[in-house]
Amino acid sequence: MLVRDRMTLNPVTITPEVSVTDALRLMSERKIRRLPVVDAQGGVIGIVSDRDLLLASPSPATTLAIWEIHELLAKLTVEKIMTREVIMVQEDTPLEEAARVMADSRIGGLPVLRGSELVGIISESDLFKTLLQLLGGRRPGVRITVATSGAKGTLAEITSAIYEVGGDIVGLGFSEVQGAADGTWVNTFKVQGVAKDKLVEVMRLHVREILDVREAP
């Protein structure tokens, strides 16, 4: 799965001379949290978030009159508060690499390029939607989380066992337990087509421990 498969196409952009007031209004109208800032040629020269704009606004405790606040914000442009060193990714970047960059850099979104052209934006919301789909969050079934070894073939053994009792895996997630000396992994399956008790019975034969099991509507 690549960034282009999950990004928002044709992102809303602004130019550096736009006022903070207008930028906030645009974010509110379009229900977005960040805006790439582009030059006359459409090249990305910055990015601004709703947090940047709100921090640039006067505190509610200010002694300024309302008209003075509006006048101040009307004069304050995006160019003065935008982040200039923009972290961007190409559209063919693996999705997990984009997620790693966002997590390591502590940012909530990345402009997406095709060459030097801005073609999209990938945000934390897009990643949440992807996680929801991977785990089968909108599909009914039996959700079971198990601890397994990290030995080669373990996952194949479990999925084969589920198939043999008529189960259909519609969601899957797994992660290694950090610091575990015995190479323990935690795996979550969303399974349709098999009763919970039967699934538990089968899984016990192939896993170290069943950590959680429940019916998901």
Side-chain angles (χ1 to χ4, degrees), residues 167-205:
D168 182 20
I169 299 171
V170 296
L172 174 63
F174 49 90
S175 63
E176 186 175 12
V177 178
Q178 298 299 314
D182 56 354
T184 298
W185 285 69
V186 171
N187 305 269
T188 296
F189 301 86
K190 175 72 73 65
V191 183
Q192 294 179 342
V194 60
K196 182 175 74 171
D197 292 344
K198 183 63 176 178
L199 182 62
V200 170
E201 178 186 342
V202 170
M203 294 290 271
R204 287 194 193 282
L205 303 175

PDB file of all heavy atoms in Angstrom, residues 167-205:
ATOM      1  N   GLY A 167     -13.429 -20.533   8.726  1.00  0.00           N
ATOM      2  CA  GLY A 167     -13.301 -19.117   9.038  1.00  0.00           C
ATOM      3  C   GLY A 167     -12.776 -18.287   7.880  1.00  0.00           C
ATOM      4  O   GLY A 167     -11.997 -18.768   7.056  1.00  0.00           O
ATOM      5  N   ASP A 168     -13.223 -17.065   7.832  1.00  0.00           N
ATOM      6  CA  ASP A 168     -12.793 -16.106   6.806  1.00  0.00           C
ATOM      7  C   ASP A 168     -12.190 -14.899   7.523  1.00  0.00           C
ATOM      8  O   ASP A 168     -12.889 -14.190   8.262  1.00  0.00           O
ATOM      9  CB  ASP A 168     -13.993 -15.677   5.956  1.00  0.00           C
ATOM     10  CG  ASP A 168     -13.601 -14.711   4.847  1.00  0.00           C
ATOM     11  OD1 ASP A 168     -12.412 -14.665   4.488  1.00  0.00           O
ATOM     12  OD2 ASP A 168     -14.496 -13.994   4.349  1.00  0.00           O
ATOM     13  N   ILE A 169     -10.912 -14.664   7.350  1.00  0.00           N
ATOM     14  CA  ILE A 169     -10.224 -13.558   8.032  1.00  0.00           C
ATOM     15  C   ILE A 169     -10.509 -12.252   7.293  1.00  0.00           C
ATOM     16  O   ILE A 169     -10.142 -12.088   6.126  1.00  0.00           O
ATOM     17  CB  ILE A 169      -8.707 -13.815   8.096  1.00  0.00           C
ATOM     18  CG1 ILE A 169      -8.415 -15.087   8.887  1.00  0.00           C
ATOM     19  CG2 ILE A 169      -7.993 -12.625   8.745  1.00  0.00           C
ATOM     20  CD1 ILE A 169      -6.965 -15.538   8.825  1.00  0.00           C
ATOM     21  N   VAL A 170     -11.172 -11.307   7.982  1.00  0.00           N
ATOM     22  CA  VAL A 170     -11.537 -10.033   7.357  1.00  0.00           C
ATOM     23  C   VAL A 170     -10.799  -8.855   7.996  1.00  0.00           C
ATOM     24  O   VAL A 170     -11.009  -7.701   7.616  1.00  0.00           O
ATOM     25  CB  VAL A 170     -13.060  -9.810   7.422  1.00  0.00           C
ATOM     26  CG1 VAL A 170     -13.789 -10.862   6.607  1.00  0.00           C
ATOM     27  CG2 VAL A 170     -13.548  -9.807   8.870  1.00  0.00           C
ATOM     28  N   GLY A 171      -9.950  -9.158   8.957  1.00  0.00           N
ATOM     29  CA  GLY A 171      -9.144  -8.116   9.593  1.00  0.00           C
ATOM     30  C   GLY A 171      -7.932  -8.754  10.234  1.00  0.00           C
ATOM     31  O   GLY A 171      -8.019  -9.856  10.779  1.00  0.00           O
ATOM     32  N   LEU A 172      -6.789  -8.064  10.166  1.00  0.00           N
ATOM     33  CA  LEU A 172      -5.565  -8.646  10.704  1.00  0.00           C
ATOM     34  C   LEU A 172      -4.589  -7.551  11.112  1.00  0.00           C
ATOM     35  O   LEU A 172      -4.383  -6.583  10.385  1.00  0.00           O
ATOM     36  CB  LEU A 172      -4.903  -9.538   9.649  1.00  0.00           C
ATOM     37  CG  LEU A 172      -3.531 -10.129   9.972  1.00  0.00           C
ATOM     38  CD1 LEU A 172      -3.623 -11.070  11.167  1.00  0.00           C
ATOM     39  CD2 LEU A 172      -2.962 -10.860   8.754  1.00  0.00           C
ATOM     40  N   GLY A 173      -4.006  -7.746  12.307  1.00  0.00           N
ATOM     41  CA  GLY A 173      -2.954  -6.838  12.768  1.00  0.00           C
ATOM     42  C   GLY A 173      -1.998  -7.603  13.652  1.00  0.00           C
ATOM     43  O   GLY A 173      -2.406  -8.511  14.378  1.00  0.00           O
ATOM     44  N   PHE A 174      -0.711  -7.272  13.570  1.00  0.00           N
ATOM     45  CA  PHE A 174       0.253  -7.963  14.424  1.00  0.00           C
ATOM     46  C   PHE A 174       1.441  -7.056  14.720  1.00  0.00           C
ATOM     47  O   PHE A 174       1.779  -6.164  13.949  1.00  0.00           O
ATOM     48  CB  PHE A 174       0.729  -9.281  13.780  1.00  0.00           C
ATOM     49  CG  PHE A 174       1.165  -9.175  12.354  1.00  0.00           C
ATOM     50  CD1 PHE A 174       2.481  -8.896  12.013  1.00  0.00           C
ATOM     51  CD2 PHE A 174       0.245  -9.372  11.330  1.00  0.00           C
ATOM     52  CE1 PHE A 174       2.876  -8.817  10.693  1.00  0.00           C
ATOM     53  CE2 PHE A 174       0.636  -9.290  10.002  1.00  0.00           C
ATOM     54  CZ  PHE A 174       1.955  -9.013   9.679  1.00  0.00           C
ATOM     55  N   SER A 175       2.043  -7.300  15.883  1.00  0.00           N
ATOM     56  CA  SER A 175       3.201  -6.504  16.286  1.00  0.00           C
ATOM     57  C   SER A 175       4.070  -7.309  17.238  1.00  0.00           C
ATOM     58  O   SER A 175       3.576  -8.151  17.994  1.00  0.00           O
ATOM     59  CB  SER A 175       2.755  -5.198  16.961  1.00  0.00           C
ATOM     60  OG  SER A 175       2.041  -5.479  18.155  1.00  0.00           O
ATOM     61  N   GLU A 176       5.355  -7.037  17.197  1.00  0.00           N
ATOM     62  CA  GLU A 176       6.302  -7.705  18.081  1.00  0.00           C
ATOM     63  C   GLU A 176       6.293  -7.024  19.440  1.00  0.00           C
ATOM     64  O   GLU A 176       6.240  -5.793  19.532  1.00  0.00           O
ATOM     65  CB  GLU A 176       7.706  -7.646  17.480  1.00  0.00           C
ATOM     66  CG  GLU A 176       8.744  -8.438  18.249  1.00  0.00           C
ATOM     67  CD  GLU A 176      10.094  -8.464  17.553  1.00  0.00           C
ATOM     68  OE1 GLU A 176      10.290  -7.682  16.600  1.00  0.00           O
ATOM     69  OE2 GLU A 176      10.955  -9.264  17.961  1.00  0.00           O
ATOM     70  N   VAL A 177       6.335  -7.813  20.495  1.00  0.00           N
ATOM     71  CA  VAL A 177       6.392  -7.261  21.846  1.00  0.00           C
ATOM     72  C   VAL A 177       7.815  -6.781  22.105  1.00  0.00           C
ATOM     73  O   VAL A 177       8.745  -7.588  22.153  1.00  0.00           O
ATOM     74  CB  VAL A 177       5.980  -8.312  22.899  1.00  0.00           C
ATOM     75  CG1 VAL A 177       6.108  -7.724  24.305  1.00  0.00           C
ATOM     76  CG2 VAL A 177       4.557  -8.792  22.645  1.00  0.00           C
ATOM     77  N   GLN A 178       7.971  -5.473  22.232  1.00  0.00           N
ATOM     78  CA  GLN A 178       9.299  -4.899  22.412  1.00  0.00           C
ATOM     79  C   GLN A 178       9.919  -5.361  23.726  1.00  0.00           C
ATOM     80  O   GLN A 178       9.275  -5.320  24.774  1.00  0.00           O
ATOM     81  CB  GLN A 178       9.227  -3.375  22.373  1.00  0.00           C
ATOM     82  CG  GLN A 178       8.738  -2.806  21.048  1.00  0.00           C
ATOM     83  CD  GLN A 178       9.647  -3.178  19.881  1.00  0.00           C
ATOM     84  OE1 GLN A 178      10.873  -3.078  19.970  1.00  0.00           O
ATOM     85  NE2 GLN A 178       9.050  -3.617  18.782  1.00  0.00           N
ATOM     86  N   GLY A 179      11.173  -5.806  23.656  1.00  0.00           N
ATOM     87  CA  GLY A 179      11.891  -6.197  24.864  1.00  0.00           C
ATOM     88  C   GLY A 179      11.659  -7.621  25.311  1.00  0.00           C
ATOM     89  O   GLY A 179      12.274  -8.080  26.277  1.00  0.00           O
ATOM     90  N   ALA A 180      10.774  -8.337  24.616  1.00  0.00           N
ATOM     91  CA  ALA A 180      10.504  -9.729  24.998  1.00  0.00           C
ATOM     92  C   ALA A 180      11.665 -10.612  24.563  1.00  0.00           C
ATOM     93  O   ALA A 180      12.007 -10.671  23.377  1.00  0.00           O
ATOM     94  CB  ALA A 180       9.203 -10.208  24.365  1.00  0.00           C
ATOM     95  N   ALA A 181      12.261 -11.314  25.512  1.00  0.00           N
ATOM     96  CA  ALA A 181      13.440 -12.130  25.217  1.00  0.00           C
ATOM     97  C   ALA A 181      13.102 -13.350  24.368  1.00  0.00           C
ATOM     98  O   ALA A 181      13.963 -13.885  23.655  1.00  0.00           O
ATOM     99  CB  ALA A 181      14.100 -12.572  26.530  1.00  0.00           C
ATOM    100  N   ASP A 182      11.834 -13.778  24.404  1.00  0.00           N
ATOM    101  CA  ASP A 182      11.457 -15.004  23.701  1.00  0.00           C
ATOM    102  C   ASP A 182      10.808 -14.742  22.341  1.00  0.00           C
ATOM    103  O   ASP A 182      10.232 -15.641  21.732  1.00  0.00           O
ATOM    104  CB  ASP A 182      10.514 -15.837  24.571  1.00  0.00           C
ATOM    105  CG  ASP A 182       9.279 -15.046  25.006  1.00  0.00           C
ATOM    106  OD1 ASP A 182       9.224 -13.836  24.715  1.00  0.00           O
ATOM    107  OD2 ASP A 182       8.386 -15.643  25.633  1.00  0.00           O
ATOM    108  N   GLY A 183      10.903 -13.528  21.863  1.00  0.00           N
ATOM    109  CA  GLY A 183      10.364 -13.218  20.538  1.00  0.00           C
ATOM    110  C   GLY A 183       8.856 -13.344  20.429  1.00  0.00           C
ATOM    111  O   GLY A 183       8.328 -13.888  19.458  1.00  0.00           O
ATOM    112  N   THR A 184       8.152 -12.841  21.413  1.00  0.00           N
ATOM    113  CA  THR A 184       6.689 -12.926  21.419  1.00  0.00           C
ATOM    114  C   THR A 184       6.069 -11.880  20.491  1.00  0.00           C
ATOM    115  O   THR A 184       6.506 -10.721  20.458  1.00  0.00           O
ATOM    116  CB  THR A 184       6.140 -12.731  22.845  1.00  0.00           C
ATOM    117  OG1 THR A 184       6.627 -13.783  23.680  1.00  0.00           O
ATOM    118  CG2 THR A 184       4.613 -12.758  22.847  1.00  0.00           C
ATOM    119  N   TRP A 185       5.044 -12.310  19.773  1.00  0.00           N
ATOM    120  CA  TRP A 185       4.264 -11.411  18.922  1.00  0.00           C
ATOM    121  C   TRP A 185       2.812 -11.417  19.390  1.00  0.00           C
ATOM    122  O   TRP A 185       2.318 -12.426  19.899  1.00  0.00           O
ATOM    123  CB  TRP A 185       4.312 -11.864  17.462  1.00  0.00           C
ATOM    124  CG  TRP A 185       5.620 -11.549  16.800  1.00  0.00           C
ATOM    125  CD1 TRP A 185       6.831 -12.126  17.063  1.00  0.00           C
ATOM    126  CD2 TRP A 185       5.843 -10.587  15.777  1.00  0.00           C
ATOM    127  NE1 TRP A 185       7.809 -11.573  16.270  1.00  0.00           N
ATOM    128  CE2 TRP A 185       7.228 -10.623  15.460  1.00  0.00           C
ATOM    129  CE3 TRP A 185       5.031  -9.699  15.085  1.00  0.00           C
ATOM    130  CZ2 TRP A 185       7.795  -9.811  14.491  1.00  0.00           C
ATOM    131  CZ3 TRP A 185       5.595  -8.891  14.110  1.00  0.00           C
ATOM    132  CH2 TRP A 185       6.968  -8.939  13.823  1.00  0.00           C
ATOM    133  N   VAL A 186       2.136 -10.279  19.222  1.00  0.00           N
ATOM    134  CA  VAL A 186       0.709 -10.184  19.514  1.00  0.00           C
ATOM    135  C   VAL A 186      -0.019 -10.015  18.182  1.00  0.00           C
ATOM    136  O   VAL A 186       0.306  -9.125  17.388  1.00  0.00           O
ATOM    137  CB  VAL A 186       0.409  -8.999  20.451  1.00  0.00           C
ATOM    138  CG1 VAL A 186      -1.100  -8.781  20.563  1.00  0.00           C
ATOM    139  CG2 VAL A 186       1.009  -9.237  21.826  1.00  0.00           C
ATOM    140  N   ASN A 187      -0.977 -10.903  17.937  1.00  0.00           N
ATOM    141  CA  ASN A 187      -1.714 -10.925  16.672  1.00  0.00           C
ATOM    142  C   ASN A 187      -3.210 -10.781  16.939  1.00  0.00           C
ATOM    143  O   ASN A 187      -3.747 -11.455  17.827  1.00  0.00           O
ATOM    144  CB  ASN A 187      -1.473 -12.238  15.934  1.00  0.00           C
ATOM    145  CG  ASN A 187      -0.003 -12.520  15.716  1.00  0.00           C
ATOM    146  OD1 ASN A 187       0.561 -12.146  14.717  1.00  0.00           O
ATOM    147  ND2 ASN A 187       0.622 -13.198  16.683  1.00  0.00           N
ATOM    148  N   THR A 188      -3.856  -9.928  16.164  1.00  0.00           N
ATOM    149  CA  THR A 188      -5.306  -9.758  16.269  1.00  0.00           C
ATOM    150  C   THR A 188      -5.952 -10.162  14.950  1.00  0.00           C
ATOM    151  O   THR A 188      -5.524  -9.711  13.879  1.00  0.00           O
ATOM    152  CB  THR A 188      -5.673  -8.307  16.611  1.00  0.00           C
ATOM    153  OG1 THR A 188      -5.151  -7.977  17.897  1.00  0.00           O
ATOM    154  CG2 THR A 188      -7.186  -8.114  16.622  1.00  0.00           C
ATOM    155  N   PHE A 189      -6.970 -11.020  15.037  1.00  0.00           N
ATOM    156  CA  PHE A 189      -7.701 -11.486  13.865  1.00  0.00           C
ATOM    157  C   PHE A 189      -9.174 -11.102  14.011  1.00  0.00           C
ATOM    158  O   PHE A 189      -9.745 -11.231  15.090  1.00  0.00           O
ATOM    159  CB  PHE A 189      -7.615 -13.014  13.734  1.00  0.00           C
ATOM    160  CG  PHE A 189      -6.219 -13.556  13.621  1.00  0.00           C
ATOM    161  CD1 PHE A 189      -5.469 -13.829  14.762  1.00  0.00           C
ATOM    162  CD2 PHE A 189      -5.657 -13.807  12.377  1.00  0.00           C
ATOM    163  CE1 PHE A 189      -4.184 -14.343  14.667  1.00  0.00           C
ATOM    164  CE2 PHE A 189      -4.368 -14.311  12.272  1.00  0.00           C
ATOM    165  CZ  PHE A 189      -3.628 -14.588  13.417  1.00  0.00           C
ATOM    166  N   LYS A 190      -9.779 -10.661  12.928  1.00  0.00           N
ATOM    167  CA  LYS A 190     -11.235 -10.529  12.856  1.00  0.00           C
ATOM    168  C   LYS A 190     -11.704 -11.632  11.910  1.00  0.00           C
ATOM    169  O   LYS A 190     -11.287 -11.676  10.738  1.00  0.00           O
ATOM    170  CB  LYS A 190     -11.631  -9.149  12.325  1.00  0.00           C
ATOM    171  CG  LYS A 190     -13.139  -8.945  12.106  1.00  0.00           C
ATOM    172  CD  LYS A 190     -13.916  -8.836  13.394  1.00  0.00           C
ATOM    173  CE  LYS A 190     -13.690  -7.519  14.118  1.00  0.00           C
ATOM    174  NZ  LYS A 190     -14.176  -6.333  13.385  1.00  0.00           N
ATOM    175  N   VAL A 191     -12.540 -12.530  12.429  1.00  0.00           N
ATOM    176  CA  VAL A 191     -12.911 -13.739  11.672  1.00  0.00           C
ATOM    177  C   VAL A 191     -14.421 -13.843  11.534  1.00  0.00           C
ATOM    178  O   VAL A 191     -15.163 -13.673  12.506  1.00  0.00           O
ATOM    179  CB  VAL A 191     -12.366 -15.002  12.375  1.00  0.00           C
ATOM    180  CG1 VAL A 191     -12.697 -16.251  11.554  1.00  0.00           C
ATOM    181  CG2 VAL A 191     -10.855 -14.892  12.595  1.00  0.00           C
ATOM    182  N   GLN A 192     -14.868 -14.147  10.323  1.00  0.00           N
ATOM    183  CA  GLN A 192     -16.277 -14.425  10.050  1.00  0.00           C
ATOM    184  C   GLN A 192     -16.437 -15.901   9.679  1.00  0.00           C
ATOM    185  O   GLN A 192     -15.486 -16.559   9.271  1.00  0.00           O
ATOM    186  CB  GLN A 192     -16.787 -13.547   8.907  1.00  0.00           C
ATOM    187  CG  GLN A 192     -16.826 -12.063   9.214  1.00  0.00           C
ATOM    188  CD  GLN A 192     -17.312 -11.238   8.033  1.00  0.00           C
ATOM    189  OE1 GLN A 192     -17.312 -11.700   6.897  1.00  0.00           O
ATOM    190  NE2 GLN A 192     -17.715 -10.003   8.310  1.00  0.00           N
ATOM    191  N   GLY A 193     -17.654 -16.422   9.836  1.00  0.00           N
ATOM    192  CA  GLY A 193     -17.947 -17.761   9.364  1.00  0.00           C
ATOM    193  C   GLY A 193     -17.667 -18.888  10.334  1.00  0.00           C
ATOM    194  O   GLY A 193     -17.792 -20.062   9.971  1.00  0.00           O
ATOM    195  N   VAL A 194     -17.270 -18.552  11.584  1.00  0.00           N
ATOM    196  CA  VAL A 194     -17.027 -19.589  12.577  1.00  0.00           C
ATOM    197  C   VAL A 194     -17.461 -19.063  13.941  1.00  0.00           C
ATOM    198  O   VAL A 194     -17.288 -17.879  14.243  1.00  0.00           O
ATOM    199  CB  VAL A 194     -15.536 -20.003  12.580  1.00  0.00           C
ATOM    200  CG1 VAL A 194     -14.645 -18.831  12.905  1.00  0.00           C
ATOM    201  CG2 VAL A 194     -15.282 -21.152  13.550  1.00  0.00           C
ATOM    202  N   ALA A 195     -18.054 -19.943  14.746  1.00  0.00           N
ATOM    203  CA  ALA A 195     -18.526 -19.552  16.076  1.00  0.00           C
ATOM    204  C   ALA A 195     -17.343 -19.236  16.994  1.00  0.00           C
ATOM    205  O   ALA A 195     -16.248 -19.793  16.845  1.00  0.00           O
ATOM    206  CB  ALA A 195     -19.377 -20.660  16.680  1.00  0.00           C
ATOM    207  N   LYS A 196     -17.591 -18.357  17.955  1.00  0.00           N
ATOM    208  CA  LYS A 196     -16.521 -17.931  18.858  1.00  0.00           C
ATOM    209  C   LYS A 196     -15.907 -19.112  19.601  1.00  0.00           C
ATOM    210  O   LYS A 196     -14.674 -19.237  19.658  1.00  0.00           O
ATOM    211  CB  LYS A 196     -17.058 -16.899  19.856  1.00  0.00           C
ATOM    212  CG  LYS A 196     -15.974 -16.372  20.803  1.00  0.00           C
ATOM    213  CD  LYS A 196     -16.498 -15.261  21.699  1.00  0.00           C
ATOM    214  CE  LYS A 196     -17.404 -15.808  22.782  1.00  0.00           C
ATOM    215  NZ  LYS A 196     -17.749 -14.770  23.790  1.00  0.00           N
ATOM    216  N   ASP A 197     -16.731 -19.976  20.167  1.00  0.00           N
ATOM    217  CA  ASP A 197     -16.209 -21.106  20.945  1.00  0.00           C
ATOM    218  C   ASP A 197     -15.357 -22.027  20.078  1.00  0.00           C
ATOM    219  O   ASP A 197     -14.314 -22.527  20.534  1.00  0.00           O
ATOM    220  CB  ASP A 197     -17.353 -21.892  21.579  1.00  0.00           C
ATOM    221  CG  ASP A 197     -18.072 -21.109  22.664  1.00  0.00           C
ATOM    222  OD1 ASP A 197     -17.500 -20.089  23.121  1.00  0.00           O
ATOM    223  OD2 ASP A 197     -19.185 -21.505  23.057  1.00  0.00           O
ATOM    224  N   LYS A 198     -15.781 -22.271  18.860  1.00  0.00           N
ATOM    225  CA  LYS A 198     -15.018 -23.123  17.957  1.00  0.00           C
ATOM    226  C   LYS A 198     -13.688 -22.470  17.590  1.00  0.00           C
ATOM    227  O   LYS A 198     -12.642 -23.146  17.536  1.00  0.00           O
ATOM    228  CB  LYS A 198     -15.832 -23.402  16.688  1.00  0.00           C
ATOM    229  CG  LYS A 198     -15.156 -24.342  15.711  1.00  0.00           C
ATOM    230  CD  LYS A 198     -14.944 -25.722  16.302  1.00  0.00           C
ATOM    231  CE  LYS A 198     -14.353 -26.689  15.301  1.00  0.00           C
ATOM    232  NZ  LYS A 198     -14.104 -28.042  15.883  1.00  0.00           N
ATOM    233  N   LEU A 199     -13.714 -21.185  17.361  1.00  0.00           N
ATOM    234  CA  LEU A 199     -12.482 -20.476  17.017  1.00  0.00           C
ATOM    235  C   LEU A 199     -11.490 -20.531  18.177  1.00  0.00           C
ATOM    236  O   LEU A 199     -10.296 -20.784  17.976  1.00  0.00           O
ATOM    237  CB  LEU A 199     -12.798 -19.020  16.656  1.00  0.00           C
ATOM    238  CG  LEU A 199     -11.602 -18.159  16.235  1.00  0.00           C
ATOM    239  CD1 LEU A 199     -10.948 -18.713  14.976  1.00  0.00           C
ATOM    240  CD2 LEU A 199     -12.037 -16.708  16.013  1.00  0.00           C
ATOM    241  N   VAL A 200     -11.973 -20.312  19.388  1.00  0.00           N
ATOM    242  CA  VAL A 200     -11.108 -20.372  20.568  1.00  0.00           C
ATOM    243  C   VAL A 200     -10.501 -21.763  20.711  1.00  0.00           C
ATOM    244  O   VAL A 200      -9.296 -21.914  20.979  1.00  0.00           O
ATOM    245  CB  VAL A 200     -11.901 -19.995  21.835  1.00  0.00           C
ATOM    246  CG1 VAL A 200     -11.083 -20.305  23.084  1.00  0.00           C
ATOM    247  CG2 VAL A 200     -12.277 -18.517  21.802  1.00  0.00           C
ATOM    248  N   GLU A 201     -11.327 -22.795  20.511  1.00  0.00           N
ATOM    249  CA  GLU A 201     -10.858 -24.179  20.627  1.00  0.00           C
ATOM    250  C   GLU A 201      -9.707 -24.456  19.657  1.00  0.00           C
ATOM    251  O   GLU A 201      -8.694 -25.074  20.022  1.00  0.00           O
ATOM    252  CB  GLU A 201     -12.030 -25.116  20.349  1.00  0.00           C
ATOM    253  CG  GLU A 201     -11.663 -26.591  20.387  1.00  0.00           C
ATOM    254  CD  GLU A 201     -12.829 -27.486  19.972  1.00  0.00           C
ATOM    255  OE1 GLU A 201     -13.989 -27.010  19.994  1.00  0.00           O
ATOM    256  OE2 GLU A 201     -12.570 -28.652  19.618  1.00  0.00           O
ATOM    257  N   VAL A 202      -9.860 -23.987  18.437  1.00  0.00           N
ATOM    258  CA  VAL A 202      -8.840 -24.225  17.415  1.00  0.00           C
ATOM    259  C   VAL A 202      -7.583 -23.398  17.686  1.00  0.00           C
ATOM    260  O   VAL A 202      -6.452 -23.905  17.572  1.00  0.00           O
ATOM    261  CB  VAL A 202      -9.404 -23.897  16.013  1.00  0.00           C
ATOM    262  CG1 VAL A 202      -8.293 -23.898  14.964  1.00  0.00           C
ATOM    263  CG2 VAL A 202     -10.481 -24.898  15.649  1.00  0.00           C
ATOM    264  N   MET A 203      -7.764 -22.160  18.059  1.00  0.00           N
ATOM    265  CA  MET A 203      -6.623 -21.269  18.259  1.00  0.00           C
ATOM    266  C   MET A 203      -5.734 -21.717  19.415  1.00  0.00           C
ATOM    267  O   MET A 203      -4.511 -21.540  19.378  1.00  0.00           O
ATOM    268  CB  MET A 203      -7.120 -19.836  18.497  1.00  0.00           C
ATOM    269  CG  MET A 203      -7.800 -19.211  17.306  1.00  0.00           C
ATOM    270  SD  MET A 203      -6.673 -18.833  15.950  1.00  0.00           S
ATOM    271  CE  MET A 203      -6.166 -17.171  16.376  1.00  0.00           C
ATOM    272  N   ARG A 204      -6.324 -22.306  20.431  1.00  0.00           N
ATOM    273  CA  ARG A 204      -5.543 -22.758  21.595  1.00  0.00           C
ATOM    274  C   ARG A 204      -4.449 -23.751  21.192  1.00  0.00           C
ATOM    275  O   ARG A 204      -3.425 -23.857  21.861  1.00  0.00           O
ATOM    276  CB  ARG A 204      -6.452 -23.401  22.633  1.00  0.00           C
ATOM    277  CG  ARG A 204      -7.332 -22.437  23.398  1.00  0.00           C
ATOM    278  CD  ARG A 204      -7.941 -23.104  24.623  1.00  0.00           C
ATOM    279  NE  ARG A 204      -9.012 -22.313  25.199  1.00  0.00           N
ATOM    280  CZ  ARG A 204      -8.812 -21.237  25.968  1.00  0.00           C
ATOM    281  NH1 ARG A 204      -7.571 -20.854  26.233  1.00  0.00           N
ATOM    282  NH2 ARG A 204      -9.850 -20.579  26.455  1.00  0.00           N
ATOM    283  N   LEU A 205      -4.669 -24.461  20.109  1.00  0.00           N
ATOM    284  CA  LEU A 205      -3.716 -25.478  19.661  1.00  0.00           C
ATOM    285  C   LEU A 205      -2.506 -24.870  18.958  1.00  0.00           C
ATOM    286  O   LEU A 205      -1.514 -25.575  18.736  1.00  0.00           O
ATOM    287  CB  LEU A 205      -4.414 -26.459  18.703  1.00  0.00           C
ATOM    288  CG  LEU A 205      -5.640 -27.184  19.251  1.00  0.00           C
ATOM    289  CD1 LEU A 205      -6.293 -28.018  18.152  1.00  0.00           C
ATOM    290  CD2 LEU A 205      -5.256 -28.056  20.438  1.00  0.00           C
TER     291      LEU A 205
END
